[in-house]
Amino acid sequence: MKAAWIADAARGDLSIVVGETADPDAGSRGLIVAVEAVGLTFGEPHWVTNGAGPLPDGRPRPLPVIIGHEFAGRVVDAAAGDHDFTVGDRVFGLIDFWRNGAAAELAHVLPSEIARVPEGISAVDAATLPIGALTAWQGLFDHGHLQAGQTVLIHGGAGAVGTFAIQIAKGAKARVIATARGAESVALCRSLGADVVVDTAAERFEAVAGGVDLVFDTVGRDLLERSWAIVPRGGTLVTISGEAEDAPSPERARELGVSAAWFIVSPDPGQLAQLASWVLDGRIRVKLDAVYPLDDARRVFQEAAGRAHAGKTVLKI
Ligand SMILES: NC(=O)c1ccc[n+]([C@@H]2O[C@H](COP(=O)([O-])OP(=O)(O)OC[C@H]3O[C@@H](n4cnc5c(N)ncnc54)[C@H](OP(=O)(O)O)[C@@H]3O)[C@@H](O)[C@H]2O)c1
């Protein structure tokens, strides 16, 4: 089959290869999906070099590894097991980051990683949800414990995760302040429902974002560091940026009396099904940044650093 993979940990984006490789095997517990669309996360080629592995159990991330861990497609082979998926089902999901991803004609997935795509949602739209929207959900609710009536500051509101985070937080009846860079991204955040949008190229978020209950950071660096000062005692700071070693310091959190967390999104079929239903009923809409063919994978990653991102980039297989 054709696939796009990372060949060399040291070379980051430059090491992405598009070529022919062996078809996956469903194994005893798995399913094989004919992939139709796969969502991209541009930091992925750097997870290896920057030490996203090894996993807590000591497994390093294997190389070569097929990129793109959020996908939508159709089941073409299903091993018997404790699941009710059958050949022909339209599914979407999130594949464990330490196995091969889905930027390929075929992908091996586990029943615990997927949910059905309802009629009315395209494969391209469905492929944006498992990392983009699931990360937003888990950051806001599972780690951020956001409640109706609270105020959340979302850093990187125009990004793949941020565009969903704004909409999901508004759907939960929270007040949303978002940060973005540049007029187009600011307008996008407003169109998604943000109550206040701060253009970080022109103003400091501290000037308008006093008294937030939760900061959900997707940018890191300076924005994350400065956010500690605006989370009050009893508030929460959640970040998904960087690697485990960039996680907020528990000592600092204790001193300030705030909860602070860094996490890696995990598959959750129930949350995926709920997100799909929100797309169908219009509570959230997908913001696509760009769609490319699989053959362009290497170029798309190499050019990603030099351009702004508004929403999700998808490869159509
Ligand atoms: N831990 C996890 O489970 C997890 C899951 C998903 C993603 N991530 C990580 O989270 C980060 C965000 O992911 P993503 O897919 O949403 O990336 P993305 O689509 O590139 O979005 C990032 C957004 O942040 C904006 N931004 C950057 N610097 C900013 C600043 N100073 N002020 C305001 N906005 C700024 C970017 O704007 P420009 O385009 O103008 O730069 C872009 O719109 C990445 O590092 C990714 O690897 C982690």
Side-chain angles (χ1 to χ4, degrees), residues 77-89:
D77 187 5
D82 189 16
H83 64 81
D84 60 358
F85 294 102
T86 54
V87 170
D89 284 350

Side-chain angles (χ1 to χ4, degrees), residues 41 131 135 156 158-161 179-181 200 218-219 221 223 240 263-265 308-309 311:
T41 298
I131 294 182
T135 305
V161 176
T179 60
R181 281 202 293 210
T200 57
T218 77
V219 175
R221 306 180 299 271
L223 291 194
I240 57 165
F263 72 99
I264 293 186
V265 61
H309 299 273

Side-chain angles (χ1 to χ4, degrees), residues 228 233 235 237 239 244-262:
W228 287 93
R233 212 158 254 284
L237 175 62
T239 182
E245 60 263 28
D246 306 313
S249 135
E251 293 76 29
R252 188 174 184 184
R254 240 189 330 272
E255 262 169 41
L256 295 170
V258 305
S259 302
W262 175 89

Side-chain angles (χ1 to χ4, degrees), residues 107-315:
H108 168 248
V109 307
L110 300 178
S112 57
E113 297 171 330
I114 59 175
R116 286 189 173 76
V117 181
E119 279 312 310
I121 300 185
S122 69
V124 167
D125 282 1
T128 68
L129 300 175
I131 294 182
L134 210 52
T135 305
W137 172 314
Q138 293 175 6
L140 293 171
F141 303 131
D142 296 350
H143 299 276
H145 311 291
L146 184 67
Q147 311 266 341
Q150 291 189 327
T151 297
V152 55
L153 168 62
I154 297 167
H155 285 313
V161 176
T163 46
F164 286 117
I166 291 173
Q167 299 178 84
I168 293 171
K170 285 307 292 178
K173 304 200 176 338
R175 179 170 169 268
V176 174
I177 303 170
T179 60
R181 281 202 293 210
E184 265 181 50
S185 293
V186 167
L188 172 63
C189 294
R190 286 214 179 91
S191 75
L192 297 172
D195 299 283
V196 178
V197 187
V198 178
D199 184 344
T200 57
E203 49 185 339
R204 288 175 69 83
F205 65 82
E206 293 90 331
V208 295
V212 303
D213 300 287
L214 168 66
V215 173
F216 179 43
D217 163 58
T218 77
V219 175
R221 306 180 299 271
D222 177 49
L223 291 194
L224 174 60
E225 179 54 34
R226 283 162 47 204
S227 293
W228 287 93
I230 62 154
V231 181
R233 212 158 254 284
T236 306
L237 175 62
V238 175
T239 182
I240 57 165
S241 62
E243 315 295 347
E245 60 263 28
D246 306 313
S249 135
E251 293 76 29
R252 188 174 184 184
R254 240 189 330 272
E255 262 169 41
L256 295 170
V258 305
S259 302
W262 175 89
F263 72 99
I264 293 186
V265 61
S266 52
D268 186 313
Q271 291 177 354
L272 284 173
Q274 179 72 74
L275 287 164
S277 79
W278 285 348
V279 173
L280 271 184
D281 71 17
R283 178 160 161 172
I284 56 176
R285 69 181 160 93
V286 171
K287 173 67 182 90
L288 283 175
D289 189 28
V291 180
Y292 300 97
L294 176 60
D295 280 332
D296 288 1
R298 179 184 164 95
R299 182 180 63 79
V300 168
F301 270 86
Q302 284 170 354
E303 291 175 3
R307 66 175 180 86
H309 299 273
K312 192 81 189 178
T313 301
V314 171
L315 296 180

